[in-house]
Amino acid sequence: MNTDKHPQSLNKEDYLSHIAFDSVIFGFNGKDLKILILEYHNTGLFALPGGFVRRNESLAEAVTKGVEERTGIDDLYLEQFQTFGGLNRSDSKAMEQILEMNGLDIKANEWLLDRFISIAYYALINFEEVNPIPDPLADSIEWYSLDELPPLMMDHEEIVHKALETLRENLDKKLLGMNLLPAKFTMKELQNAYEKITGETFKRTAFQRRMLATKNLVRHEKLFTGGAHRAPYLYSFKIK
Amino acid sequence: MNTDKHPQSLNKEDYLSHIAFDSVIFGFNGKDLKILILEYHNTGLFALPGGFVRRNESLAEAVTKGVEERTGIDDLYLEQFQTFGGLNRSDSKAMEQILEMNGLDIKANEWLLDRFISIAYYALINFEEVNPIPDPLADSIEWYSLDELPPLMMDHEEIVHKALETLRENLDKKLLGMNLLPAKFTMKELQNAYEKITGETFKRTAFQRRMLATKNLVRHEKLFTGGAHRAPYLYSFKIK
DNA sequence: TGTTATTGTAACAGTTTGTTACAATAATAC
DNA sequence: GTATTATTGTAACAAACTGTTACAATAACA
């Protein structure tokens, strides 16, 4: 393995074979719900940021570190949502292509062509505060709107689908607050985020009352950058 | 490997290394919420029913078949809820003991002593309609009330804890109906099950109205085996 | 035939949710 | 300045839902 280009070693002995992880990183730009997708050098292959588990680290450690390396984003709060273990979820041809186009020896990395079971995680991050950086294996890392995804490798589309489903289910419990919006936001932005995630629409007044009733919001100063109308308040999430 | 005693082979080449699964099988006997626990021959080791994934079967197939083999129960609807990958979750000493007490060669089965990541599933079954049978490796398979569990191997107590948490969260959505109660049951039995699972108590009248309002119940004939009082109706779950 | 315990419902109050209405404004146009 | 315009924050009312109490309708048994 070319350790100049790839400081992270991929020696078979260092890793647990057959085990991978993948991540679905959600961001909201105020209008659309987006996720981060990697494109591999000269392959036209698109994939979720993922990686492998070293023998001497826990799954959780591997995922946190691995996803941060591959996306260039720190302080991710990743939540495990499902493990994928279908027989359809290996594509040795694609993996060969990725190795080849990165100048890596296929024989030496043969274990990567084998069957993998993947533990999938998702995270919500504030679109405006991050600057994703592709890792050496990948050409680019880009935000894609959920309805404009490129065709993804293997079962990665299924993983995205399931991630969104889980996000919808957990929306009210705890999550949205964490990271998806800027630190301060208007009620309208909050409603937009909810609507994009759930795919539903809400009545403005009922939504506002419901949100305020949760007692999870703190009201701040008004936001005066708007148009010819009453200025909205800014809110932030109360830390519990 | 002694294939006389153990018709299921455990040859390293047949399985995906480092990958295991475990199952939490819930049953309700009308009074207590219970789970199935295996005890290994002559070891005093208690564990959840689990197994490994063959190279030529999907994770889901392996789990369904594996759990049915180890418990003697057919037609389980298993739901994946979390994957456990901590560094604390191997106990090669215990595994050696299990192999030894079953007359299995430790050297030949060395891969079983290595680190495993385990995908955990749970199932709800009708206590009265099953007759669990231990597999050859285990001495016994028994129902244990959740508050009277024996000490479990490795991180299996954590797995049980998380399974119960998931069960509680999903209770209203879809699950309870599936299998936890007999085909026909009284409102009181339903309420008992809910209370044991959630750990809460409910007012009889409000509970009854809430359940009937879901439109998921079909009312049948009355049950006359009771005491000196008005006979309750029997209900069953509507298949959606 | 009365007694007893439990069940199925109704009635009322209190709470939450859906909808409509309207006053309070920021920016802009005059 | 003053009127105009779009949007926001709330209040008001109705409808739906929940919690609680009350009570009639029983099965079994004495």
Side-chain angles (χ1 to χ4, degrees), chain B residues 131-147:
Chain B
N131 180 28
I133 299 165
D135 79 314
L137 283 175
D139 228 4
S140 66
I141 180 164
E142 296 286 347
W143 288 108
Y144 286 87
S145 289
L146 279 169
D147 46 8

Side-chain angles (χ1 to χ4, degrees), chain A residues 203 205-206 209 222 224 226-231:
Chain A
K203 297 276 174 183
T205 54
R209 187 178 43 191
K222 290 187 179 185
F224 288 97
H229 52 74
R230 182 172 182 171

Side-chain angles (χ1 to χ4, degrees), chain A:
Chain A
M1 175 118 198
N2 182 337
T3 50
D4 292 334
K5 280 184 74 175
H6 307 290
Q8 76 279 33
S9 99
L10 278 176
N11 294 322
K12 175 172 165 41
E13 307 79 46
D14 296 337
Y15 291 89
L16 297 179
S17 47
H18 306 301
I19 295 173
F21 59 84
D22 286 295
S23 64
V24 182
I25 317 289
F26 288 103
F28 184 67
N29 70 349
K31 252 186 66 181
D32 286 320
L33 191 62
K34 294 176 178 258
I35 64 175
L36 280 175
I37 302 286
L38 292 175
E39 182 176 3
Y40 287 104
H41 291 303
N42 306 315
T43 59
L45 292 171
F46 296 88
L48 294 168
F52 309 106
V53 183
R54 287 171 197 274
R55 297 187 141 271
N56 60 359
E57 66 188 354
S58 72
L59 173 63
E61 287 162 8
V63 172
T64 304
K65 218 180 53 177
V67 174
E68 289 181 356
E69 274 171 15
R70 300 211 72 178
T71 62
I73 300 169
D74 282 342
D75 284 329
L76 276 171
Y77 174 69
L78 286 150
E79 179 136 330
Q80 187 190 303
F81 67 94
Q82 185 156 122
T83 295
F84 294 82
L87 287 172
N88 66 327
R89 70 171 324 291
S90 19
D91 186 344
S92 55
K93 281 276 165 285
M95 201 65 206
E96 276 185 34
Q97 212 181 332
I98 292 169
L99 291 174
E100 199 173 318
M101 287 305 175
N102 280 281
L104 298 171
D105 186 48
I106 289 179
K107 273 284 182 312
N109 291 284
E110 205 154 29
W111 68 286
L112 290 171
L113 308 182
D114 207 339
R115 179 178 165 200
F116 278 84
I117 281 180
S118 178
I119 301 106
Y121 288 74
Y122 73 91
L124 304 181
I125 67 179
N126 181 349
F127 190 82
E128 291 169 6
E129 286 182 6
V130 299
N131 180 28
I133 298 164
D135 78 312
L137 282 175
D139 227 6
S140 67
I141 181 164
E142 296 287 346
W143 289 107
Y144 286 86
S145 289
L146 280 169
D147 46 8
E148 294 170 359
L149 291 183
L152 301 179
M153 281 180 67
M154 300 196 291
D155 61 350
H156 285 198
E157 281 169 24
E158 186 189 346
I159 295 177
V160 170
H161 180 83
K162 187 72 194 174
L164 185 59
E165 205 174 278
T166 309
L167 175 58
R168 282 177 178 157
E169 283 169 11
N170 292 14
L171 191 50
D172 277 322
K173 284 184 198 156
K174 50 182 165 179
L175 283 165
L176 187 54
M178 296 306 289
N179 284 305
L180 207 51
L181 290 167
K184 291 182 182 178
F185 48 85
T186 64
M187 196 58 77
K188 191 173 198 65
E189 289 174 314
L190 182 61
Q191 185 174 345
N192 279 342
Y194 260 83
E195 292 185 343
K196 284 295 173 178
I197 292 171
T198 61
E200 298 172 67
T201 57
F202 304 103
K203 297 276 174 183
R204 179 182 63 89
T205 54
F207 180 82
Q208 173 137 337
R209 187 178 43 191
R210 182 157 65 93
M211 288 298 123
L212 292 175
T214 63
K215 307 287 182 196
N216 287 335
L217 295 180
V218 185
R219 179 176 283 180
H220 301 280
E221 72 281 4
K222 290 187 179 185
L223 173 69
F224 288 97
T225 65
H229 52 74
R230 182 172 182 171
Y233 287 106
L234 287 170
Y235 297 88
S236 66
F237 289 102
K238 211 174 275 179
I239 302 117
K240 279 187 253 192

Side-chain angles (χ1 to χ4, degrees), chain B residues 108-150:
Chain B
N109 292 285
E110 205 155 30
W111 68 285
L112 291 171
L113 308 181
D114 207 340
R115 177 178 166 201
F116 278 84
I117 282 180
S118 179
I119 301 107
Y121 288 73
Y122 72 92
L124 304 180
I125 69 179
N126 180 349
F127 190 81
E128 291 168 6
E129 286 182 6
V130 299
N131 180 28
I133 299 165
D135 79 314
L137 283 175
D139 228 4
S140 66
I141 180 164
E142 296 286 347
W143 288 108
Y144 286 87
S145 289
L146 279 169
D147 46 8
E148 294 170 358
L149 290 183

Side-chain angles (χ1 to χ4, degrees), chain B residues 203 205-206 209 222 224 226-231:
Chain B
K203 297 277 174 182
T205 55
R209 187 178 44 194
K222 290 188 177 184
F224 288 98
H229 52 74
R230 182 172 183 171

